[in-house]
Each structure stands twice: as structure tokens, then as C-alpha cells.
Amino acid sequence: MKKPLAGALLALLLAGATAVPAAASTPRETVAQAPAPASAPRAQAVTAVDFAGTVALSNCSGSVVRTPSSLPSDPALVLSNGHCLETGMPAPGQVIKDRRSSRSFTLLNSAGTGVGTLRASKIAYGTMTDTDISIYQLTKTYAQIQSTYGISALTLDDAHPVQGSAIKVVSGYWKRIYSCAVDGFVYRLKEGGWTWKDSVRYTSTCNTIGGTSGSPVIDTTTGKVVAVNNTGNESGESCTVNNPCEVDENGTVTVRQGINYAQQTYTIVPCVGAGNVIDLNRPGCVLPKP
């Protein structure tokens, strides 16, 4: 994973938990040094993407997000990775919900300048099972953030991203924007003891680095968040920490050294109810439960 900068030692300790695909003890394995050709990006108008609404964590990146039905009076939410949690990386199968937190986030404007500090009231949700996300609830509402800083939240797309779509990965930590396209989708992405479903694979120009974890992945046509940046294969190893491998429906393993990945976020939308409460029992919610 694009591990938190302060979490490198922890990642090394976890490296012993490396897992290979359970469905294939002697899997067929291919090594790909470059990604498969992507479909051509859709020829549509491009939305300007900047840093407004992104945040810098102490060790990662993130963004202030809303669902299509969130209200200005709702407490705002910050999206990042599960492996960026201040409580440490959740174990495989672990789900954190409604845990008190006072974590702070530096809010950025369109130019990437920090304009203020936002603070969490709780970790509303966090996991590294099936996906790699953390969702913090803030002490301020969207309306308060807009009134104080003139910055609106980014909207989570409620639809599955499309192969070939032009995207930008916006890192609040590094104040850097990476541009590429959705190269494809990975049935299962395995890294150490964790497995993620239907991950987004980037084309090679999104060469994200440590500290970009939790960055929103924004579709440049809609301006909406379609995924959250989380990992990449650094040294060509297979299924180890910092070297995720792709596993298809038949158990075939593919290693793509230098290629990076994200976790889709449309699955979050059905799980957010009135008042921006994370309700895992809502219809259509498939996020893992505690």
C-alpha cells in the first residue's frame, strides 16, 4: 500500500502476514511490467480539478466528501484510507465504527494552500477488508465550512466508474495532482493479509508515492470522487506488503510492478443515511460490518 509515511515500520512488521490467493495454492502467475492498453478516454468536456476540498493528514491525504443527498446542515465527512487511521492498520476482517477521535486535518483551497484546521469528532467507519477506507465525522457542518472558508465538499459518485475514464489523483499531503485514466478493474487485489474487491487499476502515469494514500480519485468529466487512492506494486514481489498482486476469477495471479491502484467509493453512498450517519443496515449497503 502507499503506506503512511510514519507507518513504514509497522508495514515491515506486518510483512510476515503475507498471503497468497486462497483459491490457488499453486497459482499460475504472470509478471507484467506495463499495464494492458486502456480504452480511449471518453471524449467529453473536462471539469477543472484542483485542491479545493482536499485535506492533509499527519501521514496521508484525504478529502471532505458528501453524498448526493447530504444536506448543508449535516456534519461533514472526511474520506481517507483504512490504513491511514491513527489507531493503526485494521486487521483483516476488522471493522471500526463510531470510535471517538479528535484527529485534525488541514483544509486546502484550490491553490493547495492550507486555509484552516478541521477536527474529527469520531471515526465513523474504517476497514481494510474488501476495501481500504476510513470515514471521519467532523465537528463542523458543510455549511459552516463553506461559510468560514468558502470551500465546498467533493461529491461521491453513486455509480461504478468506467474503464478509460480520465481521472486525477489529488494528494493533499504532497499538494500534487496525478493525471491518468482508469486502465481496468481487478477482481481481487491481495496485499499481505488483506484482500480488496473490484479495485481500480490506473494507467502508468499515475505514479503515486507514499503519502498519497487516501487521495480522492476524481473523474475529470463529472468532477465527482469515484475512488480513493491506496496502493501500488513497488518492487515486483507478489502479494506482499507494498507489492499487491491481481487475482482473477480463476485464481490466476498477475504482478504489475510500478502500477498503482485505488478502491472504488460508490459503495459508500448507500450506507450513508440521514444526518450523514453510517448505517450498515441500509438497503444496498454492502460494506463489511463489525
Side-chain angles (χ1 to χ4, degrees):
M1 63 202 69
K2 294 301 177 189
K3 57 184 177 293
L5 296 187
L9 178 58
L10 178 57
L12 290 173
L13 294 173
L14 290 168
T18 299
V20 295
S25 57
T26 56
R28 293 171 290 151
E29 179 167 310
T30 62
V31 177
Q33 297 298 325
S39 302
R42 293 171 291 171
Q44 299 183 25
V46 175
T47 299
V49 174
D50 54 36
F51 294 99
T54 63
V55 299
L57 286 67
S58 58
N59 57 355
C60 286
S61 302
S63 57
V64 180
V65 296
R66 63 184 300 276
T67 71
S69 60
S70 293
L71 300 176
S73 57
D74 289 337
L77 303 176
V78 161
L79 172 68
S80 189
N81 284 148
H83 76 258
C84 293
L85 287 167
E86 72 269 33
T87 53
M89 299 182 192
Q94 182 182 9
V95 173
I96 297 168
K97 191 171 186 301
D98 296 330
R99 181 178 297 183
R100 179 178 295 182
S101 173
S102 59
R103 192 168 194 179
S104 62
F105 312 89
T106 301
L107 178 66
L108 306 184
N109 64 14
S110 60
T113 302
V115 295
T117 299
L118 303 177
R119 193 165 296 278
S121 61
K122 67 178 179 180
I123 302 169
Y125 186 84
T127 192
M128 289 177 66
T129 298
D130 294 351
T131 185
D132 183 7
I133 59 171
S134 59
I135 303 171
Y136 289 86
Q137 180 175 298
L138 302 183
T139 58
K140 292 185 180 296
T141 65
Y142 297 116
Q144 289 172 325
I145 294 173
Q146 176 69 43
S147 175
T148 303
Y149 305 110
I151 294 175
S152 301
L154 303 176
T155 299
L156 296 174
D157 202 330
D158 58 3
H160 192 289
V162 178
Q163 185 176 15
S165 298
I167 54 174
K168 291 184 181 290
V169 182
V170 188
S171 172
Y173 185 93
W174 289 114
K175 300 176 177 60
R176 179 176 176 182
I177 298 176
Y178 301 80
S179 300
C180 60
V182 175
D183 185 57
F185 304 99
V186 182
Y187 176 69
R188 296 290 185 268
L189 190 67
K190 297 185 69 69
E191 180 172 340
W194 297 279
T195 300
W196 303 309
K197 297 179 179 178
D198 199 20
S199 303
V200 174
R201 180 178 62 240
Y202 305 146
T203 52
S204 60
T205 50
C206 277
N207 54 342
T208 50
I209 59 175
T212 63
S213 287
S215 299
V217 179
I218 300 174
D219 185 303
T220 62
T221 298
T222 65
K224 295 181 179 180
V225 177
V226 295
V228 58
N229 180 67
N230 82 307
T231 195
N233 188 292
E234 296 182 0
S235 59
E237 295 179 8
S238 180
C239 312
T240 63
V241 172
N242 301 322
N243 292 284
C245 62
E246 300 182 11
V247 185
D248 69 13
E249 294 90 336
N250 299 315
T252 302
V253 175
T254 301
V255 174
R256 301 181 188 271
Q257 184 176 359
I259 297 302
N260 297 292
Y261 303 88
Q263 301 307 309
Q264 298 185 47
T265 50
Y266 78 97
T267 55
I268 296 172
V269 175
C271 305
V272 181
N276 267 357
V277 173
I278 306 298
D279 180 358
L280 302 179
N281 294 314
R282 297 188 81 235
C285 180
V286 296
L287 291 178
K289 299 179 180 180

